[in-house]
Amino acid sequence: DAKTTQPTSMDCAEGRAANLPCNHSTISGNEYVYWYRQIHSQGPQYIIHGLKNNETNEMASLIITEDRKSSTLILPHATLRDTAVYYCIASLGGTSYGKLTFGQGTILTVHP
Amino acid sequence: EAQVTQNPRYLITVTGKKLTVTCSQNMNHEYMSWYRQDPGLGLRQIYYSMNVEVTDKGDVPEGYKVSRKEKRNFPLILESPSPNQTSLYFCASKRQGLALSNQPQHFGDGTRLSIL
């Protein structure tokens, strides 16, 4: 799996959009970008994933640059409950036997 | 409700006393996996299973055993636990298949083990 780089921590005001960047400059053509989050030692929660195109679901949007070397997770209206560690993972999915390599992630703090 | 259920959630035990952490999923997923999480080391994969009776080692399998006799269950067995296995453990599952290789994993709520 390609190495990913994320900022150690970020702050966001409640109700504002949280934009979390991720660098994956060595990503290969068939590696997906996954985002998970972990709230205070609970099980990691899947947020969104994509390959080339931008993706949106009920939780977030994922913007992947055209060269696929970086991406941004967008939480459109952050709430206090979005305070968590966010992990960006580049993975081959099934061909890597499903292993997800979690780095240190970004600690997002949403404040009132 | 679709979920991955681990038991127990917390356990304090002593060195050498065999223990089993159960994991069950109700989503009919083929793939299941165990991870451990330690401060500064992130989540590391212990074992995984692509389907019933098919298991394989992850990155840190030493001291652990698994079995996959039924699709829904994937227990983690510590035959002779040691203090270095004190950790937070997560079970995960996902749909598997060539056309579904990019499916996300669903995680349980975790089991915190303390081996004294």
Side-chain angles (χ1 to χ4, degrees):
Chain A
D1 295 350
K3 178 179 168 56
T4 60
T5 304
Q6 301 176 249
T8 302
S9 63
M10 295 183 65
D11 288 335
C12 178
E14 189 177 20
R16 304 297 294 269
N19 297 282
L20 289 83
C22 179
N23 181 285
H24 32 78
S25 58
T26 61
I27 195 169
S28 63
N30 54 355
E31 284 185 303
Y32 287 80
V33 179
Y34 295 83
W35 283 84
Y36 285 78
R37 73 181 182 183
Q38 189 174 23
I39 299 172
H40 191 55
S41 296
Q42 295 177 19
Q45 178 188 22
Y46 165 75
I47 301 173
I48 199 167
H49 74 285
L51 183 62
K52 296 180 182 178
N53 300 321
N54 298 338
E55 303 287 345
T56 296
N57 63 21
E58 65 278 3
M59 289 183 68
S61 294
L62 173 62
I63 308 298
I64 303 174
T65 57
E66 194 168 341
D67 62 8
R68 299 205 336 115
K69 292 184 177 182
S70 65
S71 61
T72 301
L73 176 74
I74 301 172
L75 307 177
H77 305 286
T79 70
L80 299 179
R81 285 176 291 187
D82 291 322
T83 293
V85 181
Y86 287 77
Y87 297 98
C88 168
I89 301 163
S91 175
L92 290 169
T95 55
S96 65
Y97 303 104
K99 182 177 70 173
L100 295 174
T101 302
F102 286 76
Q104 296 306 305
T106 296
I107 301 170
L108 175 68
T109 303
V110 181
H111 51 84
Chain B
E1 180 188 350
Q3 58 186 5
V4 178
T5 303
Q6 297 179 224
N7 279 296
R9 294 291 312 281
Y10 304 90
L11 179 64
I12 302 174
T13 187
V14 296
T15 299
K17 186 176 181 181
K18 180 180 178 179
L19 67 92
T20 299
V21 184
T22 64
C23 175
S24 179
Q25 50 92 7
N26 62 0
M27 297 169 278
N28 202 36
H29 286 169
E30 293 81 9
Y31 177 94
M32 297 185 75
S33 179
W34 277 102
Y35 294 83
R36 61 177 288 177
Q37 185 174 31
D38 303 287
L41 297 177
L43 273 83
R44 294 177 292 168
Q45 191 181 52
I46 304 171
Y47 268 95
Y48 64 93
S49 170
M50 303 287 273
N51 214 324
V52 176
E53 301 291 2
V54 180
T55 64
D56 210 342
K57 297 177 180 179
D59 294 326
V60 288
E62 294 77 22
Y64 304 95
K65 286 176 57 178
V66 293
S67 69
R68 188 86 183 279
K69 299 188 184 308
E70 303 167 286
K71 198 172 188 180
R72 64 182 292 128
N73 297 323
F74 190 45
L76 179 69
I77 303 158
L78 285 72
E79 294 269 4
S80 183
S82 62
N84 64 10
Q85 293 177 298
T86 292
S87 187
L88 180 58
Y89 291 84
F90 292 104
C91 179
S93 73
K94 77 181 185 91
R95 294 176 68 192
Q96 186 68 16
L98 286 178
L100 303 171
S101 61
N102 62 319
Q103 291 299 299
Q105 294 190 30
H106 300 263
F107 285 80
D109 287 334
T111 296
R112 189 171 291 280
L113 288 184
S114 293
I115 316 294
L116 304 178

